[in-house]
Amino acid sequence: MTTPTRLVILTGAGISAESGLRTFRAADGLWEQHRVQDVATPEAFHRDPALVHRFYNERRRSLASVQPNAAHLALARLEREWRGDLLLVTQNVDDLHDRAGSGNLLHMHGELLKGRCLACGTIQAWPGDMDTASRCPACGRGPMRPHIVWFGELPLEMERIYRALERCDLFVAIGTSGLVYPAAGFVAATAPGTRTLELNLESSLVASSFQEARTGLATNLVPAFVSEVLSG
Ligand code: APR
């Protein structure tokens, strides 16, 4: 591969699967067991905030028993050791990239371990359970919601992400099904001539938009890809 200098990497639930977190669309996946419209929309939160809090409390608690895997660690190593520009964009709301040591990281769908005040908008670290009685530590007034981008809401940091996509010379998508936009459209937002690579267990819905697609486990494919980039 010609040596890239500006790299954007997008990750999805597949990168955390081997750590023990369920993906969304597998047969036993997260959404199979819940209706999206019951737990992951602003309307659901308005209708039944206790149910939505319970759903995200379970997700938050599940983080305590999982660890970053070889794929998360390889991406953190790439950031540490590579001299080019690297932006890691994740759709995942878990903290496994953070714990692996990735710093130049955007959580475009929010973060499980944060809460947002409905009155003053302050975003707070929120490691424990949240419920309808939870109050904002900053203003003392507002009820809290999970700092999660729900269906029908705008993903975070989009301007910065599109700017990086337009400028990068290599775009890599890892462990994402290509079903959910805008992330599924990132490959199409790169400039003509940009090298594009998909690393996924199976070909995603948008695999044909990539110049190259490799199938396999993230814990095999990602460390191998990182070694390739680091060896120039
Ligand atoms: N290694 C690599 N890829 C894997 C692995 C693995 N070990 N396990 C699963 N995958 C792949 C699956 O084949 C699938 O294509 O990861 C992908 C996961 O897809 P989804 O479950 O749809 O997750 P994601 O693409 O991250 O979903 C996007 O949808 O529901 C919303 O907000 C939620 O951020 C999420 C968004």
Side-chain angles (χ1 to χ4, degrees):
M1 126 168 96
T2 47
T3 314
T5 56
R6 285 182 304 276
L7 173 48
V8 176
I9 299 178
L10 169 72
T11 64
I15 199 169
S16 296
E18 290 165 83
S19 292
L21 293 177
R22 273 175 296 167
T23 61
F24 292 91
R25 291 172 184 85
D28 62 343
L30 269 175
W31 297 144
E32 288 290 318
Q33 298 172 14
H34 298 269
R35 292 178 350 139
V36 171
Q37 59 271 37
D38 289 340
V39 291
T41 63
E43 294 75 20
F45 187 65
H46 183 71
R47 201 170 43 239
D48 192 348
L51 172 71
V52 174
H53 280 309
R54 275 202 304 279
F55 177 76
Y56 286 101
N57 287 342
E58 266 178 45
R59 309 272 78 72
R60 208 175 288 116
R61 284 181 203 159
S62 69
L63 296 184
S65 56
V66 298
Q67 300 296 331
N69 64 43
H72 300 104
L73 294 169
L75 294 183
R77 173 179 172 226
L78 183 62
E79 182 179 321
R80 262 193 329 272
E81 297 183 13
W82 190 51
R83 295 162 67 118
D85 244 21
L86 167 63
L87 178 65
L88 179 57
V89 178
T90 188
Q91 297 167 89
N92 299 343
V93 295
D94 65 54
D95 64 340
L96 295 179
H97 283 306
D98 309 69
R99 277 197 260 155
S102 287
N104 206 2
L105 167 67
L106 300 178
H107 279 275
M108 63 178 285
H109 289 168
E111 295 173 70
L112 271 174
L113 295 178
K114 291 185 178 168
R116 199 185 322 150
C117 174
L118 288 168
C120 73
T122 304
I123 295 162
Q124 302 277 349
W126 207 280
D129 282 358
M130 186 182 285
D131 58 34
T132 51
S134 300
R135 285 292 169 269
C136 173
C139 72
R141 287 182 300 124
M144 301 296 294
R145 61 165 277 179
H147 182 49
I148 299 287
V149 176
W150 286 322
F151 286 90
E153 297 184 317
L154 284 181
L156 309 172
E157 304 274 11
M158 292 312 290
E159 216 173 288
R160 217 174 129 192
I161 295 170
Y162 279 115
R163 218 177 319 129
L165 286 168
E166 282 157 18
R167 289 183 192 157
C168 71
D169 47 21
L170 173 59
F171 171 69
V172 186
I174 303 170
T176 179
S177 58
L179 256 156
V180 173
Y181 285 79
F186 286 175
V187 61
T190 58
T194 307
R195 183 158 179 255
T196 55
L197 169 66
E198 175 176 276
L199 306 177
N200 207 46
L201 192 58
E202 63 214 347
S203 287
S204 80
L205 278 185
V206 291
S208 62
S209 307
F210 288 82
Q211 287 171 354
E212 189 188 347
R214 301 178 189 169
T215 53
L217 293 170
T219 54
N220 293 331
L221 295 179
V222 180
F225 160 75
V226 166
S227 297
E228 257 175 66
V229 175
L230 288 177
S231 64

